[in-house]
Amino acid sequence: LILFQKGQTTTPPPFEIFFCFGEEWPDQKPKEKKLITVQVVPVAARLLLEMFSGELSWSADSIPLQISHPDLKDKMVEQFKELHQLWQNQQRLPPVPPEPG
């Protein structure tokens, strides 16, 4: 996701999770031909991808004007921001030499 946000890859990362019940998978059959499949889309991952790709609409019509309480999505976004900041800071540090031993 970070590489996609920086423009270092043109393909967004996949975030859908697929489960197949009652049959072997993966096999030669496409998932559309399976008896029971479930697709799970983590909302936080979708929101982050939409934010980074510019697809998330922040127009006044789409956002209700109310004060909301922080929920799990808000906390996850903050944690992703912190992880991104830590990753950026670590990229700037010189490598640590091994200790003599």
Side-chain angles (χ1 to χ4, degrees):
L1 183 60
I2 292 170
L3 293 176
F4 179 71
Q5 185 235 357
K6 289 182 173 184
Q8 296 177 357
T9 180
T10 57
T11 307
F15 55 85
E16 297 93 357
I17 302 165
F18 291 94
F19 294 97
C20 176
F21 296 95
E23 295 180 71
E24 290 292 322
W25 190 52
D27 59 7
Q28 302 301 321
K29 290 169 46 175
K31 64 181 175 278
E32 294 81 14
K33 298 287 185 185
K34 292 297 186 178
L35 183 60
I36 301 171
T37 57
V38 176
Q39 178 184 9
V40 178
V41 179
V43 175
R46 190 191 72 212
L47 287 173
L48 285 170
L49 181 62
E50 289 174 355
M51 274 190 335
F52 289 152
S53 66
E55 294 176 12
L56 190 60
S57 172
W58 295 105
S59 70
D61 297 335
S62 66
I63 300 175
L65 298 177
Q66 65 183 15
I67 296 174
S68 62
H69 298 286
D71 63 359
L72 182 61
K73 291 182 298 209
D74 297 324
K75 291 176 184 174
M76 287 181 70
V77 169
E78 287 303 315
Q79 289 174 343
F80 281 125
K81 287 179 182 177
E82 288 177 27
L83 285 172
H84 183 248
Q85 186 64 42
L86 287 171
W87 180 81
Q88 284 182 325
N89 291 341
Q90 192 166 18
Q91 296 300 314
R92 294 185 195 119
L93 294 176
V96 179
E99 293 184 26

